[in-house]
C-alpha cells in the first residue's frame, strides 16, 4: 500500500460522490451535480471517471482501464497505475476478468456481465450544450422534456448530408424521459447501452456531473421513422484477427496510401488471435506486437475513428 | 454521552465503507435483490444495516430525520459521535431513518424539484421481514420482474407517479437490506 487514503480521495469526498451516484441510479439519465475535486491529472484525462471509480472501488476489485478500446495507451496506463498505487487493487486487461472497467469512449466488444461496473469518462455531459450554451436554459429543457431542438439538429444533418451524420456522442433517450449524452462513444456502441447487465456510471470532472444507467435500462438512440438509427462501422474486417463485427481503427501504415483496419478493442482482438483467428495482415500472435495504439503528439489518443464521416469538429474535446 | 456511544463505528472506514457502498449501489441498481453488510454495531433499535448505511452515506452535510423509536438518546449520541449529521424535521431531511409506520406521512419528505430531482430524501426503512417475494417490481435495474416484501404498495405507486421526482428507499432488516429507487414500478399481487 501507500501513504494515500484507500483509492486516493478522502472519505467525505467519497461519501459526497457516492450520494450523487445513488441519485443518478434512481433517476436514470439525469445529470446529478457533484463537487468535483481537483485530481492529480489535468481535465480531459478522465478526472470525472477517476473520481467515480475511486468512490466505487473495493480492495478486492480487479480494474481494467481502456482508452478508445486500448489497454496500452497513455491515458489507460496512467490511470491503471494511479489506482494500483493509491488503492492497491489488482488490474487486468481481460474484459471478462474485470469487476470495474473505466473507459474512455468505447464499450468493450465482449458483452459485460452482472456484477461488473462500467465507468465512462465524459467531456461534456450535457447533450444540448452545443445547441444551447446556457445551463439555465438546458436545465429548463430537461425539466420540461423539451427536446425538439435535438431533433432539429438531427434533421439538419439529414438535410445537409442525406443521413444523420453524428458518428459519435450520438444522443439517446433513457427510459422515455431524459435525453442523455452517452459520452463520445462511436454510435456503433449505442445499442450496447440498452439492456446491459452491468451498471453504467458516467463521470464528468470539469463539468461536475455524474449520471448513471442501472442494468437493463431501456436506452433508445434518437432517430426518425424514415431515417432509423443504425450502428455503423468501417466496411472492413479486422486485418489482424479477421473479426467482421467489431469496431475498427484505421491505421495509416506508409506514405503511399497504405492502411490497415484493426479492432479498436485490443483485448477482444488479441483474444481472437490467441484463439487462432488470423486476418488479412495478421501473423502468429506469439511474434506480433499486441496492437498499434494510435496516439497524438500530446499523448492523448485521437477521437473515435474508423468511419470518418461527418464527425462534428466542435465535439473534439477531451474527456473530463 | 456514554462510552457505548463511542463504539460501534467502522474499524477500517475506507475499506468497510467502500464495501458497504458497493452493496448499497448493487441494491439500488437492482431493486428486489437482498444484500448483506457488516461492520457497524449501532445502539438499538437501529439494525446493523441501518447503521452501516448511515456511516457510509451520511455526514455533517446531510440533515437526518430520526422517526419514532429511532429518535432516542442513545441513537442521537451515537450519530453525534460517528456521523455528525444535523437532526431535522422530516421536510428538511436528506436522510430519514425509522420504521415505515414511524416515517408516515411519507408525503412530508422532499421529492426534489423539477429542475433538480436529485434534491430528494432517501428513506432508510427498518422492517421486521425482508424477503424476495411480495410486491411485484419492474423498471430500470430489473430484467423482467422481481419481488420484494414491501410494507405497502400505494405509497410507492404514488411515488413512482411523480417520476422523475420522488424519494428513494433502502429497506433494512438486521444485517440485510434491499433498495427501492423512485424509478421502480410497484404492483401488489
Amino acid at each position: 500500500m501507500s501513504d494515500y487514503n484507500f483509492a486516493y480521495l478522502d472519505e467525505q469526498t467519497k461519501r459526497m460522490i457516492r450520494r450523487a451516484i445513488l441519485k443518478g441510479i434512481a433517476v436514470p439519465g439525469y445529470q446529478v451535480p457533484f463537487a468535483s475535486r481537483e485530481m492529480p491529472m489535468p481535465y480531459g484525462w478522465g478526472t470525472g471517471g477517476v473520481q467515480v471509480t475511486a468512490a466505487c472501488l473495493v480492495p478486492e476489485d480487479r480494474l481494467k482501464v481502456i482508452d478508445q478500446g486500448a489497454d496500452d495507451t497513455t491515458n489507460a496506463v496512467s490511470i491503471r497505475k494511479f489506482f494500483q498505487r493509491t488503492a492497491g487493487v489488482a488490474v487486468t486487461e481481460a474484459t471478462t476478468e474485470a469487476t470495474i472497467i473505466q473507459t474512455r469512449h468505447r464499450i468493450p466488444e465482449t458483452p459485460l456481465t452482472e456484477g461488473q461496473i462500467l465507468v465512462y469518462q465524459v467531456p461534456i455531459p450535457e447533450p444540448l450544450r452545443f445547441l444551447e450554451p446556457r445551463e439555465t436554459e438546458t436545465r429548463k429543457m430537461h425539466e420540461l422534456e423539451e427536446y425538439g431542438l435535438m431533433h432539429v439538429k438531427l434533421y439538419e444533418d439529414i438535410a445537409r448530408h442525406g443521413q444523420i451524420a453524428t458518428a459519435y456522442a450520438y444522443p439517446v433517450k433513457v427510459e422515455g424521459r431524459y435525453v442523455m449524452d452517452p459520452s463520445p462513444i462511436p454510435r456503433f456502441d449505442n445499442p450496447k447501452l440498452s439492456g446491459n447487465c452491468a451498471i453504467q456510471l458516467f463521470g464528468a470532472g470539469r463539468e461536475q456531473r455524474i449520471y448513471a444507467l442501472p442494468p437493463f435500462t431501456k436506452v433508445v438512440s434518437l432517430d426518425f421513422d424514415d431515417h432509423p438509427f443504425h450502428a455503423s462501422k468501417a466496411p472492413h474486417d479486422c486485418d489482424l484477427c479477421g473479426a467482421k463485427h467489431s469496431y475498427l481503427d484505421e491505421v495509416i501504415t506508409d506514405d503511399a496510401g497504405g492502411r490497415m483496419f484493426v479492432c479498436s478493442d485490443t483485448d477482444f482482438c488479441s483474444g481472437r488471435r490467441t484463439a487462432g483467428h488470423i486476418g488479412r495482415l495478421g501473423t502468429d500472435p506469439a511474434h506480433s506486437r499486441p496492437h498499434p495504439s494510435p496516439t497524438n503528439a500530446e499523448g492523448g489518443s485521437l477521437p473515435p475513428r474508423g468511419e470518418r464521416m461527418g464527425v462534428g469538429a466542435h465535439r473534439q474535446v477531451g474527456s473530463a | 454521552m456514554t462510552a457505548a456511544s463511542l463504539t460501534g463505528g467502522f474499524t477500517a472506514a475506507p475499506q468497510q465503507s467502500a464495501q458497504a457502498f458497493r452493496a448499497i449501489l448493487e441494491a439500488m441498481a437492482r431493486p428486489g435483490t437482498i444484500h448483506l453488510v457488516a461492520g457497524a454495531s449501532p445502539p438499538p433499535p437501529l439494525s446493523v444495516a441501518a447503521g452501516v448505511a448511515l456511516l457510509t452515506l451520511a455526514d455533517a452535510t446531510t440533515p437526518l430525520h430520526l422517526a419514532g423509536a429511532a429518535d432516542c438518546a442513545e441513537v442521537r449520541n451515537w450519530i453525534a459521535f460517528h456521523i455528525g449529521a444535523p437532526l431535522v424535521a422530516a421536510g428538511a431531511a436528506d436522510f430519514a431513518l425509522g420504521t415505515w409506520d414511524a416515517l408516515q406521512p411519507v408525503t412530508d419528505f422532499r421529492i426534489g424539484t423539477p429542475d433538480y430531482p436529485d434534491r430528494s430524501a432517501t428513506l432508510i426503512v427498518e422492517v421486521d421481514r425482508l424477503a424476495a417475494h411480495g410486491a411485484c417490481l419492474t423498471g430500470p435495474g430489473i430484467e423482467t420482474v422481481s419481488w420484494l416484501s414491501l410494507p405497502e404498495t400505494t405509497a410507492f405507486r404514488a411515488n413512482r407517479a411523480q417520476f422523475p421526482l420522488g424519494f428513494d428507499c433502502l429497506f433494512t432488516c438486521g444485517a440485510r437490506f434491499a433498495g427501492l429507487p423512485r424509478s421502480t414500478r410497484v404492483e401488489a399481487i
Side-chain angles (χ1 to χ4, degrees):
Chain A
M1 270 302 286
S2 64
D3 296 332
Y4 293 101
N5 188 33
F6 175 71
Y8 186 76
L9 293 171
D10 61 278
E11 289 306 298
Q12 175 139 359
T13 298
K14 281 194 264 182
R15 278 193 295 269
M16 174 271 296
I17 295 172
R18 286 166 181 165
R19 290 193 294 264
I21 291 172
L22 291 181
K23 287 300 173 193
I25 287 283
V27 192
Y30 167 72
Q31 304 158 48
V32 183
F34 81 111
S36 176
R37 300 293 194 249
E38 283 209 40
M39 298 301 285
M41 62 189 71
Y43 289 134
W45 285 72
T47 55
V50 162
Q51 290 179 77
V52 171
T53 302
C56 290
L57 270 182
V58 296
E60 298 78 26
D61 266 325
R62 196 174 295 114
L63 179 70
K64 171 182 165 83
V65 186
I66 51 172
D67 174 2
Q68 309 266 353
D71 290 279
D72 54 0
T73 50
T74 313
N75 201 185
V77 170
S78 60
I79 291 173
R80 204 158 52 224
K81 277 191 180 157
F82 174 76
F83 282 118
Q84 276 180 291
R85 183 167 167 198
T86 60
V89 293
V91 296
T92 181
E93 295 193 359
T95 303
T96 49
E97 289 173 9
T99 50
I100 295 190
I101 303 173
Q102 181 170 335
T103 174
R104 176 174 180 272
H105 310 354
R106 265 321 300 281
I107 301 176
E109 303 286 354
T110 312
L112 302 178
T113 54
E114 214 162 288
Q116 289 184 312
I117 298 178
L118 186 60
V119 179
Y120 295 75
Q121 302 172 199
V122 182
I124 306 288
E126 177 51 72
L128 304 164
R129 181 61 68 234
F130 291 102
L131 308 170
E132 170 52 66
R134 289 167 296 181
E135 168 68 17
T136 49
E137 294 303 301
T138 53
R139 186 161 291 280
K140 185 65 86 178
M141 289 156 79
H142 283 294
E143 172 187 337
L144 300 175
E145 236 176 307
E146 176 51 71
Y147 296 126
L149 205 54
M150 184 57 88
H151 280 100
V152 170
K153 187 233 176 202
L154 296 177
Y155 166 75
E156 285 181 347
D157 264 11
I158 295 169
R160 198 170 297 150
H161 307 288
Q163 58 182 324
I164 296 176
T166 304
Y168 67 98
Y170 192 104
V172 295
K173 197 162 200 182
V174 179
E175 286 286 329
R177 179 58 180 83
Y178 284 100
V179 164
M180 186 190 94
D181 184 336
S183 87
I185 58 172
R187 76 177 182 196
F188 174 83
D189 283 340
N190 269 28
K192 297 182 215 160
L193 291 164
S194 191
N196 203 316
C197 298
I199 297 174
Q200 300 175 77
L201 304 175
F202 299 75
R206 177 184 47 213
E207 305 291 322
Q208 314 198 317
R209 294 291 186 274
I210 285 172
Y211 51 107
L213 295 174
F216 312 115
T217 301
K218 194 174 164 215
V219 180
V220 177
S221 302
L222 298 180
D223 61 0
F224 297 99
D225 287 347
D226 53 347
H227 283 86
F229 170 84
H230 68 99
S232 55
K233 67 181 280 273
H236 297 272
D237 298 347
C238 173
D239 283 333
L240 294 180
C241 76
K244 292 181 187 308
H245 304 294
S246 70
Y247 191 73
L248 301 175
D249 280 338
E250 182 185 8
V251 180
I252 307 297
T253 52
D254 55 35
D255 59 359
R259 60 181 186 165
M260 65 189 292
F261 289 90
V262 294
C263 292
S264 123
D265 186 334
T266 52
D267 169 55
F268 178 76
C269 194
S270 61
R272 275 179 58 85
R273 278 181 288 148
T274 308
H277 300 277
I278 297 179
R280 185 176 63 95
L281 302 173
T283 52
D284 184 349
H287 299 104
S288 64
R289 281 184 62 234
H291 189 74
S293 14
T295 50
N296 66 17
E298 291 164 5
S301 52
L302 299 169
R305 56 175 66 222
E307 182 196 41
R308 286 274 166 79
M309 62 172 208
V311 172
H314 56 275
R315 290 305 304 255
Q316 302 210 356
V317 284
S319 49
Chain B
M1 180 78 68
T2 60
S5 312
L6 309 182
T7 60
F10 286 145
T11 49
Q15 289 79 11
Q16 285 177 306
S17 64
Q19 271 145 352
F21 172 69
R22 273 293 271 281
I24 295 170
L25 175 65
E26 287 287 338
M28 276 296 194
R30 301 177 200 276
T33 59
I34 294 174
H35 300 258
L36 262 178
V37 284
S41 44
L46 263 56
S47 63
V48 171
V52 167
L54 284 180
L55 288 171
T56 306
L57 298 174
D59 56 31
T61 65
T62 56
L64 171 68
H65 175 68
L66 295 177
D71 190 15
C72 62
E74 291 78 24
V75 172
R76 284 170 171 260
N77 287 338
W78 190 78
I79 286 169
F81 181 74
H82 291 281
I83 295 161
L87 300 178
V88 298
D94 279 347
F95 288 96
L97 175 68
T99 62
W100 184 247
D101 288 336
L103 289 168
Q104 300 301 323
V106 285
T107 45
D108 281 356
F109 292 103
R110 291 162 58 199
I111 56 168
T113 57
D115 47 348
Y116 288 97
D118 56 302
R119 295 179 181 174
S120 57
T122 303
L123 313 185
I124 300 168
V125 185
E126 299 266 36
V127 292
D128 295 332
R129 196 178 71 88
L130 192 61
H133 53 81
C136 165
L137 314 181
T138 54
I142 302 166
E143 188 171 14
T144 49
V145 64
S146 69
W147 292 270
L148 187 65
S149 53
L150 296 177
E152 63 165 299
T153 52
T154 319
F156 300 108
R157 289 165 64 102
N159 192 42
R160 176 64 179 87
Q162 308 181 86
F163 189 85
L165 305 185
F167 54 80
D168 308 306
C169 291
L170 208 54
F171 295 97
T172 55
C173 177
R176 303 182 309 138
F177 68 93
L180 188 76
R182 68 191 83 171
S183 58
T184 304
R185 292 173 203 90
V186 177
E187 302 269 352
I189 51 169

